[in-house]
Amino acid sequence: MTRSRKYLNNLPNAQKIKDLASDILDHELKLDRILQDHTELKNEIIALQTQVLSFDNDGSSQGLEYTQIKLNELSKVLILQDSEIAELKKNIHNLQSLVDDEIRDGLFQLFHQAKSDLDEAKKDIIKHQKMVEDSQHRLMNSSAKESQENHDEWIRNVGKVIKDEERVKESEKQLEAINRVYRLEFSENTT
């Protein structure tokens, strides 16, 4: 598992992904140990087969029977290791698929949250723009005495619209970033 991208820590299911990655690492370490043992076992089998050939060439049967028994035992162990290696590779692949699914799920959750934030900010802009228009209308029609109060209200409402527009821009940036990460990870688009 070589994903070390910082966005993974921002996913809502980051802990589950870390747990799966830890399981993958455990399986990979076990696989490495078994592969080392497997290589040593193959080398031992080759050495024993060489001994059998030398016994055949010498015409000597002394030690041949023991060597044949040892070869049979090691062959059985080799077959067991082969199946264990295959099982570990399968488990690693399955865990990697689960990690991919969790990353997709986390990105979709972030996407939907950013989309919801964007929609909410757009609604707030409409609401606050209406408030700006109302306060501007009151400002234009107010007496000199009420003018400062209406002006302050108009400024506050304009400030709200500006903040809402910043929220829209931030949400759009988040959506763009999420889409970019998704495309990089999975060569797809979330739209």
Side-chain angles (χ1 to χ4, degrees):
M1 177 102 229
T2 57
R3 284 189 175 104
S4 60
R5 295 170 182 90
K6 61 184 175 182
Y7 79 86
L8 288 174
N9 290 325
N10 297 327
L11 294 177
N13 53 350
Q15 188 56 50
K16 189 169 186 181
I17 292 168
K18 288 177 186 177
D19 293 343
L20 288 169
S22 177
D23 290 346
I24 290 171
L25 183 59
D26 290 344
H27 280 76
E28 286 176 340
L29 290 173
K30 188 173 182 180
L31 179 63
D32 284 345
R33 283 191 300 270
I34 290 175
L35 286 173
Q36 286 175 349
D37 291 347
H38 196 66
T39 301
E40 290 173 10
L41 187 63
K42 281 183 177 180
N43 290 338
E44 191 175 343
I45 289 173
I46 289 171
L48 288 173
Q49 287 173 335
T50 304
Q51 280 182 356
V52 167
L53 290 175
S54 71
F55 288 139
D56 286 344
N57 290 338
D58 291 349
S60 168
S61 64
Q62 197 173 27
L64 180 62
E65 188 176 316
Y66 169 76
T67 306
Q68 288 289 13
I69 292 171
K70 185 73 173 163
L71 264 174
N72 287 337
E73 290 172 2
L74 292 178
S75 294
K76 291 175 186 175
V77 172
L78 189 67
I79 291 169
L80 289 173
Q81 282 183 344
D82 283 338
S83 65
E84 192 171 357
I85 288 169
E87 187 67 27
L88 281 170
K89 286 181 178 181
K90 179 182 168 191
N91 288 343
I92 290 169
H93 176 74
N94 290 341
L95 287 168
Q96 288 170 336
S97 293
L98 286 173
V99 167
D100 286 345
D101 291 345
E102 287 298 323
I103 290 172
R104 277 188 190 96
D105 183 54
L107 287 172
F108 280 131
Q109 288 177 40
L110 289 179
F111 179 85
H112 291 299
Q113 181 61 49
K115 185 80 168 123
S116 175
D117 292 347
L118 176 65
D119 293 342
E120 188 67 30
K122 286 180 178 181
K123 287 177 187 176
D124 287 347
I125 285 176
I126 293 169
K127 179 176 88 174
H128 291 136
Q129 282 177 335
K130 175 78 169 114
M131 291 169 67
V132 165
E133 292 169 5
D134 292 346
S135 61
Q136 185 178 18
H137 181 67
R138 280 193 299 277
L139 177 62
M140 297 295 186
N141 296 327
S142 64
S143 65
K145 193 173 164 184
E146 299 170 325
S147 180
Q148 184 60 42
E149 185 180 312
N150 288 333
H151 181 264
D152 292 345
E153 181 185 352
W154 178 76
I155 293 293
R156 280 191 303 274
N157 289 332
V158 167
K160 290 177 183 178
V161 170
I162 291 170
K163 286 182 182 178
D164 293 338
E165 288 172 345
E166 289 171 358
R167 285 177 39 214
V168 165
K169 287 179 186 176
E170 183 60 32
S171 294
E172 287 173 342
K173 282 182 188 177
Q174 287 177 351
L175 287 170
E176 184 180 310
I178 292 166
N179 275 327
R180 184 175 50 253
V181 166
Y182 194 88
R183 280 190 307 271
L184 287 172
E185 287 293 329
F186 304 107
S187 299
E188 296 177 19
N189 195 349
T190 57
T191 56

